[in-house]
Amino acid sequence: MKSLKENFQKIHILIIGSGIVGKFNALELSELGFQITIIDPAQQKNSSNAALGLLMGNMYQKRKGRSWALRKQSMELWPKWLELLKKFNNELKIEKPLIQLTTNEQTFKKLEKFINENNDQHLKILERDSIPIKNISKAFQINNLKGIISFKDGRINAVSLLKTLDSYLKYKKVNFLEDEIIKIKKSNKQWIAESKKKKEIKSDIIILCNSLNTIDLIDNLTHNIKLKPVLGQALEIDINDAKVDLLSLPKQFNINGKNIIPISQSKLIIGSTDEYSRKPEEDIFEKLTNFVDKKPTWLVKENITKKWSGIRSRPDGEPSPIMKTLQDGIILCTGFYKNGILLAPACSKWVANEIKNYLC
Ligand SMILES: Cc1cc2nc3c(=O)[nH]c(=O)nc-3n(C[C@H](O)[C@H](O)[C@H](O)COP(=O)(O)OP(=O)(O)OC[C@H]3O[C@@H](n4cnc5c(N)ncnc54)[C@H](O)[C@@H]3O)c2cc1C
């Protein structure tokens, strides 16, 4: 009798979209032995390349429901994938811990309640006289910061992760096509995907990982799936101030909802926004720096060295993300308006199980 892997080798899977979700699905499925093709017309210009890479799993304040289950599973899966990917990029790592701070008394009370009720040794309230709070308060000149620290959460560099996945997928002989799928249809038992460059790609299974454009490829009268564009923006600042050493700050932290990542002694990244829009705002500085009432002298518009944005898709009328089998051999893995980097391992595992159930 043939092994499962030998049987899987005969199955061709087409993944539409090569953001983090498409690439992670390719990783999971190529490990299982499937033949994989990924197609994307613009694999560097997606929201995955704009992501800050924060993995906010354990800090999630609900401890039940699908969202928590996906976070928990992803946090468990990340070390295994990291181990494997390190063979292709030894520097790839998750920087820990992650700190969440607030100046709002009510928000802090909620955080405090969450920590006290959960009794999780990896989560702690940060004392006001702790070194991280002292250093952040000094650099940003904020007096009343309070917060929590999660030793399990952290950050992975998203661009570096995507590049490492490319090397791995190349090694696994995953076929990459630079093209856009414009239509999918069934013919006998196979799926045929038609591309803009007039190619027809035959496959046994299609996974739609193409974010907002997913709805263009499915019969929406039958499936009624709605996705709305959500814009995220970020910027890099060169503080140009010898008195502040950004490397004295924690590797990543969040103040009043804005993520802050010091990347060198003088540079930091601040992100991101969530707006129902597709058009990046020219003047994003105020929105991204409103986590402080009175800005320190170095936090000024003139110090911006880079700005970038990405558009993700948010499901309308159902929770994010959408993971569904639409009909035999068509799987949706889309609607990751937030946390696509964090959730990619758990969602790919779900897709793999769905495929195994369909085939076996
Ligand atoms: C500024 C910013 C900061 C963020 N920070 C974080 C963070 O800290 N942590 C975190 O977990 N998440 C973060 N996110 C969210 C994260 O980036 C998304 O959840 C994730 O990138 C979604 O990945 P995706 O693969 O679904 O979509 P995308 O990365 O957008 O990829 C979709 C791909 O599909 C392709 N495509 C579309 N149509 C077709 C077609 N017809 N045929 C072929 N290909 C097609 C596109 O070209 C694109 O490459 C952030 C996002 C932004 C914008």
Side-chain angles (χ1 to χ4, degrees), residues 212-355:
L212 271 182
N213 297 353
T214 306
I215 39 181
D216 300 341
L217 299 179
I218 58 175
D219 174 2
N220 229 6
L221 285 178
T222 324
H223 304 297
N224 192 26
I225 285 165
K226 294 192 194 105
L227 293 165
K228 291 199 283 189
V230 179
L231 181 78
Q233 286 183 265
L235 49 85
E236 183 191 272
I237 289 185
D238 190 335
I239 67 166
N240 196 17
D241 182 339
K243 287 195 281 304
V244 182
D245 174 7
L246 295 175
L247 292 181
S248 70
L249 304 180
K251 293 264 190 316
Q252 49 270 322
F253 51 97
N254 177 298
I255 305 180
N256 293 334
K258 297 292 182 295
N259 297 317
I260 300 154
I261 304 158
I263 50 167
S264 73
Q265 203 170 348
S266 67
K267 280 188 183 169
L268 53 75
I269 290 171
I270 307 178
S272 65
T273 55
D274 289 338
E275 293 143 87
Y276 287 112
S277 164
R278 285 174 184 266
K279 204 168 169 271
E281 279 172 53
E282 256 311 297
D283 191 11
I284 191 66
F285 180 77
E286 274 312 315
K287 257 190 195 160
L288 282 173
T289 54
N290 64 6
F291 59 92
V292 276
D293 290 335
K294 194 169 173 292
K295 295 182 192 35
T297 45
W298 54 265
L299 194 54
V300 286
K301 239 192 247 180
E302 291 67 34
N303 285 347
I304 296 176
T305 39
K306 238 193 242 175
K307 279 195 228 175
W308 66 95
S309 64
I311 298 168
R312 357 3 136 28
S313 56
R314 182 174 193 168
D316 190 7
E318 61 185 306
S320 166
I322 300 178
M323 303 190 300
K324 267 184 197 160
T325 292
L326 283 194
Q327 48 186 295
D328 283 355
I330 293 280
I331 299 174
L332 299 191
C333 198
T334 188
F336 290 81
Y337 97 98
K338 269 189 175 172
N339 296 309
I341 310 288
L342 167 68
L343 300 179
C347 295
S348 310
K349 175 68 89 202
W350 180 88
V351 170
N353 286 338
E354 200 70 359
I355 292 175

Side-chain angles (χ1 to χ4, degrees), residues 72-111:
K72 186 169 175 285
Q73 194 186 19
S74 260
M75 295 308 283
E76 283 160 10
L77 290 168
W78 265 111
K80 171 194 128 187
W81 287 125
L82 215 55
E83 194 64 31
L84 185 116
L85 291 171
K86 264 181 181 246
K87 289 182 196 144
F88 295 82
N89 175 3
N90 201 24
E91 283 170 19
L92 193 69
K93 57 175 176 273
I94 297 176
E95 293 278 8
K96 296 176 189 171
L98 188 58
I99 290 174
Q100 191 178 347
L101 301 170
T102 179
T103 50
N104 181 295
E105 196 57 44
Q106 259 180 322
T107 310
F108 178 65
K109 286 249 148 66
K110 268 174 119 182
L111 290 173

Side-chain angles (χ1 to χ4, degrees), residues 16-22 39-43 46-48 50-54 179-181 209-211 213 217 232-234 272 308-312 336-342:
I16 303 178
S18 73
I20 187 67
V21 177
I39 189 158
D40 196 316
Q43 59 161 310
N46 48 32
S47 75
S48 299
L52 303 188
L54 294 167
D179 203 347
E180 182 181 337
I181 296 299
C209 304
N210 54 335
S211 190
N213 297 353
L217 299 179
Q233 286 183 265
S272 65
W308 66 95
S309 64
I311 298 168
R312 357 3 136 28
F336 290 81
Y337 97 98
K338 269 189 175 172
N339 296 309
I341 310 288
L342 167 68

